[in-house]
Amino acid sequence: MKSYIEENQDRFIAELIEWLKIPSVSTDASKKQDVQNAAEFVKNKLLEAGVDKAEVCPTAGHPIVYAEKIVNPALPTVLVYGHYDVQPADPYELWDSPPFEPVIKKTELHPQGAIFARGSCDDKGQVYMHVKALEMMNKFNQIPCNLKFMIEGEEECGSDNLEPFVKANKDRLKADVILISDTGIIANDIPSVETGLRGLCYLEVEVTGPNRDLHSGVYGGAVANPINTLCQMIASLKDEKGCITIPGFYDKVVILSTEERAEMAKTPFSLDAYKKDLDIDDVFGEEGFSTIERTSIRPTLDVNGIWGGYTQPGAKTVLPSKAYAKISMRLVPNQHPDEINALFEKHFKAIAPKSVKVEVRFHHGGFPYVTPTDSLEFKAASMALEESFGKKPVPTRGGGSIPIVALFEKELGVKSVLMGFGLDSDAIHSPNEHFGVFNFLKGIETIPLFYKHYTNLMAQQL
Ligand code: BES
Ligand code: MN
Ligand code: MN
């Protein structure tokens, strides 16, 4: 079927580019119509690709696209999950080309070219691989199993309305496994399958000093500046060894065995290349753990944004009344997001000096997830990648979060397999996000192989 991809690749890319032009930024209320349009777009493309039915299902927030192709109820069913919403594109000025005007450019890691646009890799480009894989299988009448598609529009802002949708549609979503392409591979010549995602706690803190902004000469030195105080409080959340100081934070963290860690240490990784790519002279993280471990099996805490006071051009002498920060924590098994939120709030209030008041507001969160590596679906993904890349894939634990994956297991009793095709260097959530043409086409080639191997393995099991 490879030649079908070769013959049609220009059209596949052109269609994806059309979709990428729609700025489906889910967190931005002013983009509501664009988000809706992006949903309609993929619904129509799924219909053209050959699903029996497709629907844009309204929710209290952005819609969920549901589609299915039932070839034979006796065959296994794979539910494909992905998202058509994207992160905000700012800061715009750091993009070399406008985020919603896709262009193809060659890069060192993508000599065949990469599509530069917000959402190209995360996750429209990866969802579109599934649409085109379906088109191709349908064309050749080679759909080995039943397929269901659930493409949501709120992944990047917490998937608030997916849980009620899943709970209300358990029958419709019935499947044997969930296939997700929203992660990455190690390199284009080192295929890999992700074996886990970290959980997440995302919150916002507000520190209030005096009841109004003050003249920093008249009052400065005698009244706590909430920005200074917030910085001190934040700085104290990690010690010099990179450990998080919130009491109880690590209590439930699953510790890997020496064997498991030795296995992880075999993952191909170059610290020099890593530092070079990021233009840093050194890495920083929890003492006693490797960079790979720090970004996968260990939890962490990061400030995502901090503001307050005067930030416009020029100078204004002010002792501000308020300071704010957005803080996220990445969780690992068996940390519970509600418990970690509570520990954070308690600690953050405890370390606040009497000179300020502190408020903590919770945004979204999610549980960590680890996929079994001895399952049929993991085997099928490995076989599919081995067939398309000509190389056995490496299992890798990922550091990102797809909070809904744990929920699928809880509500639907179905496990997920993470077969993504992005590269860490594709700059998801950053300016100049891109997705390799090679990766896009490789995904289209690999996905049908997953269905083939999965269906065969399921049949053998009976
Ligand atoms: N696709 C990413 C998650 C991801 C990226 C997993 C790379 C593994 C490797 C997803 O769209 C994402 O960005 N998730 C958010 C969480 C969400 C609640 C905003 C994240 O990880 O920050
Ligand atoms: Mn994603
Ligand atoms: Mn994302």
Side-chain angles (χ1 to χ4, degrees), residues 69-347:
K69 175 87 186 171
I70 307 298
V71 287
N72 175 352
L75 287 167
T77 301
V78 178
L79 171 62
V80 174
Y81 163 81
H83 61 96
Y84 66 82
D85 65 321
V86 303
Q87 285 275 322
D90 17 350
Y92 277 73
E93 65 277 12
L94 296 184
W95 284 76
D96 295 331
S97 55
F100 299 107
E101 293 170 33
V103 291
I104 299 177
K105 279 187 295 192
K106 291 192 168 122
T107 72
E108 204 180 313
L109 292 177
H110 294 296
Q112 273 188 53
I115 307 161
F116 282 76
R118 170 58 85 233
S120 56
C121 177
D122 184 13
D123 183 34
K124 283 170 167 170
Q126 301 213 55
V127 167
Y128 215 64
M129 302 179 315
H130 284 272
V131 180
K132 293 299 104 174
L134 171 67
E135 174 192 307
M136 176 167 76
M137 292 187 296
N138 197 36
K139 182 99 190 164
F140 293 97
N141 239 318
Q142 286 178 14
I143 305 181
C145 55
N146 302 311
L147 300 176
K148 294 180 174 178
F149 297 86
M150 176 169 53
I151 315 298
E152 72 150 317
E154 296 187 326
E155 197 276 343
E156 299 292 9
C157 60
S159 302
D160 284 348
N161 296 292
L162 194 59
E163 182 166 351
F165 181 83
V166 169
K167 284 184 172 158
N169 288 278
K170 285 189 179 177
D171 258 353
R172 192 144 66 136
L173 299 172
K174 222 167 155 319
D176 296 284
V177 71
I178 297 169
L179 174 61
I180 303 176
S181 299
D182 193 22
T183 55
I185 50 173
I186 296 176
N188 282 356
D189 56 354
I190 313 176
S192 55
V193 186
E194 290 207 11
T195 61
L197 298 160
R198 287 196 284 188
L200 184 72
C201 286
Y202 199 107
L203 46 85
E204 197 169 313
V205 297
E206 178 181 320
V207 177
T208 308
N211 60 1
R212 59 186 190 275
D213 284 6
L214 304 175
H215 188 290
S216 65
V218 176
Y219 290 93
V223 176
N225 180 321
I227 301 181
N228 294 34
T229 304
L230 175 60
C231 290
Q232 276 169 336
M233 291 169 71
I234 286 172
S236 78
L237 293 176
K238 273 189 190 178
D239 66 17
E240 68 288 351
K241 291 182 172 166
C243 283
I244 292 153
T245 56
I246 301 168
F249 185 82
Y250 292 100
D251 283 2
K252 295 200 172 163
V253 168
V254 169
I255 308 295
L256 268 68
S257 67
T258 316
E259 294 75 42
E260 286 170 311
R261 291 182 67 186
E263 200 49 47
M264 275 192 85
K266 291 186 195 156
T267 311
F269 178 75
S270 155
L271 189 58
D272 281 335
Y274 189 82
K275 290 193 284 194
K276 189 166 167 259
D277 177 48
L278 301 177
D279 215 346
I280 50 174
D281 294 329
D282 204 359
V283 290
F284 173 73
E286 197 184 351
E287 208 174 275
F289 294 94
S290 69
T291 294
I292 287 186
E293 290 174 334
R294 288 169 179 171
T295 57
S296 60
I297 59 165
R298 299 300 293 172
T300 190
L301 180 150
D302 275 289
V303 179
N304 297 257
I306 181 164
W307 71 102
Y310 186 69
T311 54
Q312 300 304 308
K316 175 187 179 189
T317 46
V318 61
L319 193 166
S321 165
K322 286 181 186 289
Y324 305 84
K326 291 185 193 277
I327 298 174
S328 67
M329 290 168 281
R330 297 281 169 174
L331 314 182
V332 298
N334 290 327
Q335 290 177 300
H336 188 302
D338 295 344
E339 287 173 15
I340 295 296
N341 272 336
L343 290 177
F344 178 95
E345 182 173 21
K346 188 167 169 231
H347 178 66

Side-chain angles (χ1 to χ4, degrees), residues 397-461:
R397 273 277 283 268
S401 309
I402 309 176
I404 215 66
V405 176
L407 186 103
F408 289 150
E409 175 154 32
K410 182 167 158 258
E411 294 300 331
L412 302 173
V414 182
K415 297 217 186 291
S416 294
V417 56
L418 303 167
M419 196 172 77
F421 292 86
L423 298 183
D424 282 355
S425 52
D426 285 346
I428 63 173
H429 295 206
S430 292
N432 303 313
E433 174 179 354
H434 54 281
F435 189 40
V437 168
F438 168 87
N439 303 65
F440 177 59
L441 301 176
K442 215 34 149 185
I444 301 171
E445 183 188 340
T446 309
I447 289 162
L449 300 172
F450 172 83
Y451 298 136
K452 177 185 82 175
H453 290 301
Y454 181 69
T455 308
N456 288 342
L457 288 170
M458 286 286 275
Q460 283 167 26
Q461 194 198 34

